[in-house]
Amino acid sequence: MASNSIGARATSGQLRGLRRGGAPPERDGRHGAASTARRNQRHAGGFDKDGRRHRRARSSHCPRRSRYLDSDGGWYKTSEDRTDGPGCYYYRGADGEGGRGQGGEAKSDESRSVGAGSGREAWQVQIFIVGTCMLLCNLDRVAMGILAVPLIQEFSLSMTQLGVLQSSYLWGYLIGQLPAGLASDRYGGVPVMLVGLLVWSLATCGTALAKFSANPLSIAIATRVLMGLGSSVALPAVAATVASNVPSDQKARATTLSYALFNIGNVVANLCTPYVSEYLGWHWSFAIYGSLGVLWAALSWYLYKKARFSIAASKVTRNLEARDKGDRPKPSVFQLLLKRKVMLQVLILAYCHSTIGLGYFTLQSWIPVFMAKDLGIASLKVAGLCTAVVWLATSFNTAFVGVIADKLLSKMEFWKVRKVAMTVSTIIPAGCFFVLSTTQSPMVGIFCILIGLVSWSFDYAGFHPYIVEVSGEYSGTILSFTNSAGVIAGIAGNIATGYLVGLEGNFTSVFRILSGVYLVSCILWNIFMKGEKLEGM
């Protein structure tokens, strides 16, 4: 059926060198004239996979030469209805090694298929696209926290009002989580990410209009809610992209690369925003960053369309592998969540993600204010430079730990690798947060923020790959559930931080609460996360 093909007819160049019947060459790779002649002698009757000769009718079962991948040692069939009749054509894969199958001659070099080479290139293009979108996502949302001090002065905001404004982004982010997860699993991470990029970039441009409004706080809150709604696709889209297209031995590094670029957005924002604000005005930061997002959405769509054939081919390969194994139809994610063991695992994962979200959103939004109130660093440029250095170190470590984690997979079970990463990412930040609650030294404070965030970034090699490994094709939706908990914690954390800082005049209680929350997360992960597949529970 047409739906079982990849939906694209092979061109004359792609079908060059195909024959009816015959058998693919053996794995020794001999494709000389003698072997070609022997294959030509037996093409009429054909051979089955065991090498036994059998007779077949000459009628064609392939009315259209619509390709689909059904690999047998590097050989691929072309057929609309995927039958094994004499009308089915075989062609050579790009990996250069054939196997025993149902016939055809080697495909010529100029008609290379979407085999191993182009499949690898396709997933790298996808990771590059979603990773760059993650950079822009963080660039856009961090700008508000960096500009908190000038916004307080211009609009006479109280700490409580600032907390509401900081958290408004997360309201839309929360609303969009479940739809974003379902859409990412169904339509693919890249197209969903690009739609979200367009929405949040336009909303970021709209935030600049608050300067010219009679009610700037309302305009800023409304546009931040819309921005959060658009960027809700970010994490589910990355998870769905990694789960669907990246080889299993490179999932951690692909994940951490995306999140390393995400943290680079922090670096760019902290370096550029103070200067843009000083020389052009704070509203220009939002206008420029939003415009960059719109341009990148258009360019990325062009890149994605060029790689779409390879992307579709890789998905068809996985579907055919599942069909050949005789897999039964899989339950929906909601049926899966009705299982008690699955629900328990997801709830614990949700708590751990809420810990990540609480610490991340609090630090991202309030570091400049903390430096000004508790550490005495009043200069926006100095605070921005210190924060940029912290996030730059975090970005490098994020990319580094992914490579190390993938290498450890050959020596340890995957869940043990993730456990080590999660232990580092919770126990060390817990200690750093406690020290931050007791110091007023700028050097000690910046050092603790640096060590805490660098160690916190180990969760990109722990939590996020673990979700992909235990959830499989449900990764986008499961991550949307857990990330919703992180977003709720972020909303509560921002509002509570504003209230506590306004009440006490410092961040002492905020950091002590964070320390306790992270410690509990470390304990829960080490007790319950043993690598069990959710579908097998």
Side-chain angles (χ1 to χ4, degrees):
M1 294 182 292
S3 59
N4 291 330
S5 71
I6 64 172
R9 297 191 182 187
T11 64
S12 59
Q14 291 166 336
L15 291 173
R16 191 175 293 119
L18 307 181
R19 289 186 59 87
R20 295 178 184 270
E26 297 297 327
R27 292 186 184 273
D28 60 8
R30 293 191 295 269
H31 305 293
S35 61
T36 301
R38 286 194 297 272
R39 287 195 302 275
N40 289 342
Q41 292 175 0
R42 62 192 185 189
H43 78 275
F47 286 79
D48 62 19
K49 289 187 176 181
D50 296 325
R52 295 189 295 271
R53 189 178 183 89
H54 62 88
R55 303 179 68 86
R56 289 189 296 187
R58 299 294 296 172
S59 62
S60 172
H61 295 287
C62 299
R64 290 192 297 168
R65 298 178 181 180
S66 181
R67 293 197 307 175
Y68 74 96
L69 302 184
D70 194 357
S71 174
D72 183 9
W75 287 81
Y76 299 89
K77 286 183 286 191
T78 64
S79 170
E80 185 180 15
D81 56 2
R82 298 201 281 185
T83 62
D84 291 331
C88 294
Y89 291 81
Y90 286 74
Y91 62 94
R92 187 67 175 164
D95 52 2
E97 286 296 329
R100 298 179 65 185
Q102 267 194 291
E105 289 195 11
K107 195 175 185 291
S108 61
D109 291 338
E110 63 267 27
S111 55
R112 291 168 68 86
S113 72
V114 286
S118 58
R120 178 181 177 84
E121 180 183 351
W123 74 257
Q124 289 175 336
V125 170
Q126 293 178 83
I127 293 299
F128 173 71
I129 291 174
V130 298
T132 309
C133 292
M134 293 283 279
L135 186 156
L136 292 170
C137 178
N138 224 13
L139 173 64
D140 291 347
R141 73 183 185 183
V142 169
M144 182 63 75
I146 297 170
L147 296 170
V149 174
L151 287 173
I152 289 172
Q153 295 171 351
E154 182 165 343
F155 300 125
S156 302
L157 301 179
S158 67
M159 285 292 107
T160 301
Q161 287 176 318
L162 181 61
V164 172
L165 176 59
Q166 296 279 35
S167 67
S168 61
Y169 165 86
L170 298 175
W171 305 346
Y173 195 68
L174 175 62
I175 293 170
Q177 281 302 304
L178 182 56
L182 293 170
S184 297
D185 285 338
R186 179 171 182 178
Y187 300 109
V190 177
V192 172
M193 177 72 90
L194 293 181
V195 171
L197 171 60
L198 184 61
V199 172
W200 87 62
S201 297
L202 292 173
T204 301
C205 290
T207 306
L209 299 177
K211 181 176 178 62
F212 310 101
S213 172
N215 194 351
L217 184 60
S218 298
I219 294 296
I221 289 176
T223 55
R224 295 292 287 180
V225 170
L226 183 59
M227 183 193 168
L229 184 63
S231 58
S232 64
V233 306
L235 269 64
V238 170
T241 302
V242 172
S244 300
N245 301 286
V246 179
S248 58
D249 62 341
Q250 299 191 58
K251 289 186 185 297
R253 72 185 67 185
T255 302
T256 54
L257 176 60
S258 299
Y259 286 101
L261 289 170
F262 183 66
N263 288 327
I264 288 292
N266 263 316
V267 177
V268 176
N270 279 282
L271 288 177
C272 298
T273 305
Y275 290 93
V276 175
S277 175
E278 180 177 342
Y279 294 108
L280 298 177
W282 63 264
H283 58 291
W284 275 103
S285 299
F286 297 108
I288 293 172
Y289 300 159
S291 299
L292 287 175
V294 173
L295 291 175
W296 180 244
L299 179 58
S300 294
W301 184 252
Y302 170 75
L303 294 175
Y304 173 69
K305 286 184 67 177
K306 289 189 67 175
R308 187 165 56 180
F309 181 78
S310 295
I311 295 167
S314 65
K315 291 181 178 179
V316 172
T317 302
R318 290 191 301 275
N319 292 339
L320 291 173
E321 288 173 352
R323 182 204 64 178
D324 292 339
K325 292 177 183 177
D327 290 349
R328 292 177 296 178
K330 296 181 181 297
S332 69
V333 66
F334 299 104
Q335 292 173 321
L336 193 67
L337 289 171
L338 290 176
K339 298 180 179 179
R340 186 171 61 181
K341 289 185 176 180
V342 174
M343 180 57 70
L344 177 63
Q345 289 283 304
V346 171
L347 287 175
I348 296 172
L349 287 170
Y351 177 83
C352 294
H353 206 156
S354 69
T355 302
I356 296 170
L358 180 63
Y360 179 79
F361 288 120
T362 301
L363 288 177
Q364 187 183 60
S365 300
W366 292 93
I367 281 181
V369 180
F370 167 68
M371 288 184 175
K373 293 186 73 66
D374 286 32
L375 304 183
I377 304 175
S379 171
L380 193 60
K381 291 181 182 178
V382 174
L385 179 61
C386 294
T387 307
V389 171
V390 169
W391 285 111
L392 184 62
T394 303
S395 302
F396 278 120
N397 187 69
T398 300
F400 172 75
V401 297
V403 176
I404 297 301
D406 281 337
K407 290 185 180 297
L408 287 176
L409 290 177
S410 62
K411 302 176 182 179
M412 300 169 61
E413 293 179 78
F414 80 90
W415 64 272
K416 292 182 179 178
V417 176
R418 309 309 174 206
K419 181 173 75 171
V420 171
M422 285 301 294
T423 300
V424 172
S425 73
T426 50
I427 197 70
I428 296 179
C432 290
F433 285 138
F434 184 79
V435 174
L436 283 172
S437 71
T438 64
T439 186
Q440 292 183 339
S441 168
M443 293 298 294
V444 174
I446 293 172
F447 180 76
C448 285
I449 293 173
L450 173 64
I451 297 301
L453 280 174
V454 167
S455 57
W456 164 86
S457 67
F458 275 78
D459 69 53
Y460 293 131
F463 184 88
H464 296 279
Y466 186 87
I467 288 280
V468 170
E469 287 158 338
V470 301
S471 304
E473 65 184 59
Y474 305 105
S475 297
T477 307
I478 295 297
L479 187 61
S480 71
F481 279 115
T482 64
N483 197 37
S484 295
V487 175
I488 292 172
I491 294 172
N494 269 289
I495 295 175
T497 298
Y499 174 76
L500 290 173
V501 172
L503 182 66
E504 300 178 356
N506 57 54
F507 283 77
T508 299
S509 297
V510 173
F511 286 127
R512 288 183 179 176
I513 292 172
L514 284 174
S515 180
V517 170
Y518 267 70
L519 186 60
V520 172
S521 177
C522 179
I523 294 171
L524 288 175
W525 188 281
N526 279 273
I527 292 176
F528 292 101
M529 297 297 108
K530 304 298 183 182
E532 297 176 89
K533 306 289 185 180
L534 297 184
E535 191 180 351
M537 289 183 174

